[in-house]
C-alpha cells in the first residue's frame, strides 16, 4: 500500500498544483500526507537550545572576567563538537556579556576552532544557529544582534526568549513586529527585523508557555490567539525538558518518547505539527552535562533512524510550518 501511495502521490501533487490558489489547502494536506506516510510516522522536530545571561544574579558566572570566559568558552566548544558529531541541532542563544568577551579576548579566533571566533565556529563549522537573547536591561535585542554581526555571523531572525505577557511599551515583544533599532550609544545605528518568537516566558517563570505547534500571537494579553495578520510567528517548544547539572539522560529521553507515543497512538492529532526543544543553560555546562547530552543523543538515535524524530533548528522548523502547514494555527498544549 505504501509503495502504491508513493508512486501515485507525485501525479496527484502535479495536477493539484495546477489549480493554484483555490486548492492551496488541499495541496498542504497532500504534502502533510506524504510526510505522514513515511512508514506511517509523523516526525517530531527537535533541537537543543541554550542561554547565557547578562547578570551574575541569574546564576551565571561573570563572563567579563577572562579566566571565567575561557573556561566557559572551552565547554561551549566541547558541547558543540559533541552535538554535531552525533547529528543533533543547536540554537545557541547568547546575551551581550559573553559576546563582548568573545570580541575582547578572541577577536581573531584560536587554533582549536580553526582560527575563527567561537560564534563563527558554531555557525560555519557546525551549522548551528546563533540567535540573539536579551533581558534588555542594558542592551536590547537589536544591540545583541549587532554584536553577533560584528563577530562575522549574520544573526538569525529568532527572538531567543522573551516575557510574553509583558505590556510595557519599552519591553513588549510587539515592538518587534516590524523591526527594532539599536539603543546603545556605543553601537552604530542598526536595525534588526525578527521573524520568529521562541521561548515564551511569564513574569517570574510562573506560567511559561508549554505548547507544540506554531501560530502568530495576537497580543501579550491574548498570546495563544492566532492572528494571521501579524508578522511575528511563535515556535512552540513542547513539554518542559531542561538539562541541569544533576538531571539524568533517561528522563530527557522519556519526555521525547512520550511525545512520540502520544502522536503514534492518537492522543495527539496525527495532523499536528510537533516542534520540541531540549533546553540547556550555559552556566550548567560541565564534563558531566556534556556527557548527559551525549547520552541523550545516543538514546534518541534509534528514533531518528526510524523516522520518528528529525533534528531541526528553529528556522528550519519555521520553514516546515510555512511550507507544509501554510502558517496556520497548529497550537496544541502539552498535557
Amino acid at each position: 500500500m505504501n509503495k502504491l501511495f508513493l508512486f501515485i502521490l507525485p501525479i496527484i501533487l502535479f495536477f493539484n498544483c495546477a489549480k493554484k490558489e483555490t486548492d492551496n489547502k488541499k495541496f498542504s494536506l497532500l504534502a502533510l500526507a506524504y510526510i505522514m506516510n513515511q512508514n506511517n510516522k509523523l516526525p517530531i522536530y527537535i533541537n537543543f537550545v541554550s542561554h547565557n545571561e547578562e547578570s551574575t544574579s541569574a546564576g551565571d558566572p561573570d563572563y567579563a572576567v577572562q579566566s571565567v570566559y575561557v573556561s566557559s568558552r572551552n565547554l561551549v566548544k566541547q558541547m558543540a563538537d559533541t552535538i554535531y558529531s552525533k547529528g543533533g541541532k543547536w540554537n545557541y542563544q547568547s546575551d551581550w556579556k559573553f559576546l563582548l568577551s568573545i570580541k575582547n579576548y578572541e577577536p581573531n579566533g584560536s587554533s582549536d576552532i580553526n582560527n575563527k571566533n567561537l560564534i563563527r565556529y558554531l555557525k560555519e563549522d557546525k551549522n548551528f544557529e546563533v540567535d540573539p537573547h536579551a533581558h534588555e536591561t542594558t542592551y536590547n535585542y537589536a544591540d545583541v544582534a549587532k554584536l553577533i554581526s560584528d563577530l562575522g555571523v549574520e544573526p538569525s531572525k529568532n527572538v531567543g526568549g522573551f516575557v510574553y505577557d509583558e505590556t510595557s511599551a519599552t519591553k513588549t515583544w510587539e515592538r518587534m513586529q516590524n523591526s527594532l533599532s539599536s539603543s546603545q550609544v556605543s553601537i552604530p545605528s542598526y536595525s534588526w527585523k525578527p521573524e520568529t518568537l521562541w521561548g515564551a516566558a511569564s513574569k517570574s517563570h510562573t506560567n511559561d508557555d508549554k505548547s507544540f505547534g506554531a501560530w502568530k500571537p495576537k497580543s501579550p494579553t491574548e498570546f495563544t490567539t492566532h492572528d494571521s495578520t501579524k508578522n511575528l510567528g511563535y515556535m512552540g517548544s513542547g513539554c518542559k525538558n531542561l538539562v541541569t547539572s544533576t538531571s539524568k539522560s533517561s528522563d530527557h529521553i522519556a519526555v521525547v518518547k512520550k511525545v512520540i507515543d502520544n502522536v503514534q497512538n492518537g492522543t495527539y492529532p496525527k495532523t499536528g505539527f510537533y516542534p520540541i526543544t531540549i533546553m540547556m543553560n550555559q552556566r550548567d555546562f560541565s564534563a558531566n552535562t556534556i556527557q548527559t547530552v551525549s547520552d541523550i543523543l545516543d538514546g534518541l538515535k534509534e528514533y531518528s533512524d526510524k523516522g520518528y524524530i528529525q533534528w531541526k533548528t528553529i528556522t528550519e522548523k519555521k520553514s516546515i510550518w510555512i511550507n507544509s502547514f501554510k502558517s496556520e494555527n497548529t497550537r496544541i498544549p502539552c498535557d
Side-chain angles (χ1 to χ4, degrees):
M1 178 64 181
N2 281 350
K3 291 182 179 179
L4 178 61
F5 181 87
L6 292 174
F7 175 77
I8 65 172
L9 182 62
I11 300 172
I12 297 173
L13 292 178
F14 174 81
F15 287 107
N16 202 61
C17 284
K19 297 182 181 179
K20 300 293 184 179
E21 296 182 6
T22 58
D23 280 348
N24 274 348
K25 185 169 287 188
K26 189 175 181 181
F27 176 80
S28 177
L29 291 173
L30 282 167
L32 180 59
Y34 177 78
I35 294 171
M36 291 177 60
N37 203 257
Q38 307 309 294
N39 297 321
N40 294 315
K41 300 180 182 75
L42 180 67
I44 309 302
Y45 302 106
I46 185 171
N47 67 323
F48 288 96
V49 173
S50 70
H51 282 174
N52 61 59
E53 312 299 353
E54 63 179 0
S55 171
T56 56
S57 64
D60 278 42
D62 187 355
Y63 299 117
V65 177
Q66 186 171 6
S67 60
V68 172
Y69 161 74
V70 170
S71 176
S72 187
R73 170 261 195 222
N74 290 341
L75 290 167
V76 171
K77 192 264 183 186
Q78 293 171 37
M79 183 69 81
D81 290 346
T82 298
I83 295 174
Y84 179 78
S85 70
K86 294 177 182 289
K89 292 292 183 75
W90 187 8
N91 278 76
Y92 183 78
Q93 300 184 342
S94 181
D95 214 325
W96 64 270
K97 184 173 282 189
F98 191 75
L99 295 171
L100 277 183
S101 288
I102 295 174
K103 181 178 181 179
N104 292 335
Y105 298 130
E106 289 188 294
N108 300 314
S110 299
S111 59
D112 67 329
I113 49 177
N114 295 333
N115 297 312
K116 300 176 180 181
N117 65 53
L118 183 63
I119 296 302
R120 286 187 59 202
Y121 180 72
L122 294 175
K123 176 63 177 178
E124 296 173 7
D125 292 56
K126 304 303 176 184
N127 200 30
F128 297 144
E129 276 198 305
V130 180
D131 309 333
H133 169 61
H135 286 267
E136 299 192 297
T137 59
T138 307
Y139 287 67
N140 71 14
Y141 260 100
D143 296 324
V144 176
K146 182 61 166 63
L147 291 175
I148 294 171
S149 178
D150 287 345
L151 290 169
V153 169
E154 183 68 24
S156 77
K157 303 298 184 182
N158 305 320
V159 177
F162 62 102
V163 178
Y164 70 85
D165 52 357
E166 176 62 71
T167 56
S168 152
T170 59
K171 292 287 187 180
T172 175
W173 53 268
E174 289 191 296
R175 294 171 301 139
M176 295 183 275
Q177 282 287 358
N178 294 304
S179 62
L180 184 68
S181 298
S182 54
S183 64
Q184 289 291 307
V185 174
S186 60
I187 294 179
S189 180
Y190 182 80
S191 181
W192 181 64
K193 185 177 181 179
E195 297 177 354
T196 308
L197 300 164
W198 179 91
S202 59
K203 296 173 183 177
S204 301
H205 290 283
T206 56
N207 190 31
D208 295 355
D209 180 75
K210 299 181 185 67
S211 300
F212 303 106
W215 67 96
K216 293 184 176 182
K218 184 175 182 179
S219 70
T221 56
E222 296 178 274
F223 184 77
T224 59
T225 300
H226 177 67
D227 185 344
S228 62
T229 66
K230 299 295 184 180
N231 294 326
L232 285 170
Y234 177 72
M235 185 59 56
S237 296
C239 309
K240 183 177 180 180
N241 201 354
L242 173 65
V243 177
T244 69
S245 58
T246 59
S247 59
K248 298 178 180 179
S249 60
S250 57
D251 292 336
H252 299 292
I253 294 168
V255 173
V256 179
K257 181 62 165 57
K258 184 178 179 181
V259 179
I260 294 171
D261 289 344
N262 283 347
V263 172
Q264 297 307 312
N265 65 27
T267 300
Y268 294 153
K270 279 188 174 282
T271 54
F273 173 50
Y274 298 99
I276 64 175
T277 293
I278 300 175
M279 182 65 192
M280 307 182 292
N281 287 308
Q282 190 169 318
R283 61 176 173 264
D284 292 328
F285 285 10
S286 67
N288 183 60
T289 52
I290 292 171
Q291 185 60 55
T292 298
V293 167
S294 178
D295 292 342
I296 291 170
L297 285 155
D298 288 343
L300 292 176
K301 186 177 185 302
E302 65 173 293
Y303 303 108
S304 177
D305 289 345
K306 294 177 181 177
Y308 288 109
I309 66 173
Q310 292 182 15
W311 290 96
K312 300 290 184 182
T313 64
I314 292 172
T315 298
E316 288 171 337
K317 295 176 186 180
K318 177 73 173 294
S319 294
I320 293 169
W321 180 51
I322 292 172
N323 294 326
S324 296
F325 295 88
K326 301 304 176 186
S327 301
E328 295 175 354
N329 181 14
T330 55
R331 179 181 181 269
I332 298 174
C334 171
D335 62 0

